[in-house]
Amino acid sequence: MAAHNEIGRRGEAWAQDYLRRQGYFIRHANWRCGHLELDLVAEKDGVLVVVEVKTRSTDYFGAPQEAVTARKMQRLVSAADAYIRQYGWSGDTRFDVITLIPAGDSFRLEHIEDAFMA
């Protein structure tokens, strides 16, 4: 596995652990529908939380959240719509971004709640 793939896999696992410690229930990880994908789908306090996880080896070339472009947001909204339809979700939904940068044996993590609106 390429080094960047390994960092990404470790970052997603770290993000899941973080969310669980914060009281989130992880409904799905790497949920796919055709060419659409959601990194994490969680639930907390009756809200469906779609989480985009961005792991980078460094922030030298910019913050990881800068990779969540308008096009990426559109794809996330489309994927979330497919998820909501498939599972019949009728409550509130929000979009979060979790960024991770390796820091020794752990990660520097930032959780951006309500990162964008659908």
Side-chain angles (χ1 to χ4, degrees), residues 74-94:
Q74 288 175 327
R75 292 183 60 77
L76 289 169
V77 170
S78 294
D81 183 60
Y83 184 94
I84 288 166
R85 289 174 192 271
Q86 180 173 337
Y87 291 98
W89 181 260
S90 59
D92 290 336
T93 303
R94 79 169 198 245

Side-chain angles (χ1 to χ4, degrees), residues 91-103:
D92 290 336
T93 303
R94 79 169 198 245
F95 294 88
D96 290 5
V97 173
I98 291 182
T99 66
L100 299 113
I101 297 175

